[in-house]
Amino acid sequence: MNSAAALLNTTLAPFDYQPRTRIVFGVNTVDRVGELAKELGAGSVLLVTDRGIVSAGHAARVAKLLEAQGIHVACFDQVEENPGTRCVDKCVELARQCKADTIIGLGGGSSMDTAKGCNFILTNGGQMKDYWGIGKAKQPMLPLIAIPTTGGTGSECQSFALITDEQTHQKMACGDPKAAARVAILDPALTVSQPPRVTACSGIDAIAHALETAVTKARTPLSLLFSREALRLTMAGLPRVLESPHDLEARGWMLLGAALGGTAIENSMLGAAHSAANPLTAHFGIVHGHAVGLMLPHVVRFNARDAATAHAYEEIAQATGVLPTTNGAGSVAEDFANRLDLFLRRSGLPAALKDCGVTEKAIPQLAGEAATQWTAKFNPRAVAAADFEEIYSAALPRRPDRAA
Ligand SMILES: [Zn+2]
C-alpha cells in the first residue's frame, strides 16, 4: 500500500495544538534580538549561557544588541551540561539581584533548560521538584527568548525544563505552557562555532527526536507533520555539516529540523531510546546525544518487531525519501538502524557501549532505571526492565563495519 492510500485507511487521532513560540529564522537574525526583546517590554534582561558561548563571542554580541535598545543586561555564564538544581538556584539568585523582567536562554539545551528552570522558581517560588510534571506553575512567568547555538535539542520549541535532581540523579521534566519561549531566534550562523563533537552529538539527538516522535503512542496527525519534516532536514543535513562545518545552508537545515523535532516532542513525547540514554549519561557520563545515538538503532530493531510500528517506520521513510533504496517490506527499520550506526562511526564516536566503559554487570541497574523513565511509557511497544536488558546487551558489543 502506498503512503497516500495508507493515510486514507487511518483513523486520525484527536489533538489539541496551540503554537506558543514565535519563530524567527535566518542567517544573522540574532541581530533582531534587541528589537524583539523591546517588543516584549524588556527593561532588564537576564542572559543565561555557558562559558563556551561567552568565548565564542555570542554572549557579548547579544548583550551589545540589547544595550543598544537601552535594556540592562546581567549575564549568568555558569550553565553546566545536564544542569542540576544547584545551577538553577545560582541563576535565580542573579535574576533576583538584577530584577530581571525578561530571560534569554543562549546556547544548547542546557542553557535553555536552566533559563526555564530559573523562570519557574523566580516567578512561582519553591524548588525545582515542585514543578516536576505538567502545569504546576500557578503564577504568570517572565517572557523568555530562546536562541539555540546547536542544532539539537529543540528545547526552544518546548515548554519543558529538564533539570537533574542532585540528590537522586533523576532527570526531572518540568513542563508548563507558560514556560515555553515567547520567541525562538534560529540563526544558523550561530551554530557554526560548535566543536565538531557537539555538532555530531546534537545532530544525532535531533534525528532521534524526529524518529522517536514519529512512532510514539502519543503521536498525532499534526505531530507527524513536524516529525517528517524534522527527519527529512536532519538526515540530509547531518552528513553535510559533518563534512563542511561552514555550510550555512545545511546548518540551517539542522537548526530548523531540530526546532521542528522539538515541536514534535511537545506534541507526541519521546520513546525508549531516550529512556535508555538517561541512565547512561547519569552513570557513565556519556553525552546525551551520543547516548541516544548508541541506543536508537537497537530500539528501532526492538520496536520493529511490532508490525504496526514497522509499518510506521516504513511510512516515514517513504514520506521523507530519506531511505531511497530499501530491500523490501520489513527491512526499513534495519536500514534506519544501519544509517544511525554509520552516523556515529563517521562522527568518530564509539558505536558500542563496551567502548564507552559500560560493562555487562551494569546492565540490570541501567535497565531498571530506564524502565522508570517517563518517556518509556510513550514507546510504541511496551518496554519493561527485561526488554531494556535485552536492548542494552545488543548495544554492548562492537558491530562489524558496514558499507553506506
Ligand atoms: Zn534528546
Side-chain angles (χ1 to χ4, degrees), residues 205 209 270 274 288 292:
D205 191 29
H209 293 164
L270 281 162
H274 274 74
H288 173 75
V292 170

Side-chain angles (χ1 to χ4, degrees), residues 278-307:
N278 288 344
L280 291 173
T281 304
H283 296 287
F284 293 92
I286 304 174
V287 174
H288 173 75
H290 183 198
V292 170
L294 285 162
M295 300 317 297
L296 188 60
H298 303 284
V299 167
V300 167
R301 288 191 187 98
F302 171 83
N303 284 344
R305 281 189 234 148
D306 168 59

Side-chain angles (χ1 to χ4, degrees), residues 220-298:
T220 71
L222 201 82
S223 71
L224 259 175
L225 201 74
F226 295 117
S227 302
R228 282 189 197 123
E229 188 60 6
L231 192 72
R232 196 177 71 84
L233 289 166
T234 53
M235 290 283 276
L238 187 58
R240 267 181 61 172
V241 294
L242 289 175
E243 187 88 5
S244 322
H246 292 275
D247 181 340
L248 274 182
E249 191 181 37
R251 289 284 187 186
W253 297 353
M254 291 309 292
L255 191 58
L256 183 58
L260 296 177
T263 312
I265 295 173
E266 186 74 7
N267 290 279
S268 68
M269 301 301 171
L270 281 162
H274 274 74
S275 318
N278 288 344
L280 291 173
T281 304
H283 296 287
F284 293 92
I286 304 174
V287 174
H288 173 75
H290 183 198
V292 170
L294 285 162
M295 300 317 297
L296 188 60
H298 303 284

Side-chain angles (χ1 to χ4, degrees), residues 52-98:
I53 299 302
V54 171
S55 308
H58 301 322
R61 180 175 172 193
V62 167
K64 213 170 139 198
L65 288 159
L66 292 165
E67 282 160 359
Q69 295 283 335
I71 298 168
H72 177 263
V73 184
C75 182
F76 178 79
D77 64 359
Q78 318 274 306
V79 170
E80 301 156 5
E81 213 170 294
N82 307 308
T85 38
R86 269 199 300 269
C87 173
V88 173
D89 290 343
K90 276 197 270 176
C91 186
V92 171
E93 223 176 278
L94 183 61
R96 287 199 176 118
Q97 273 169 27
C98 74

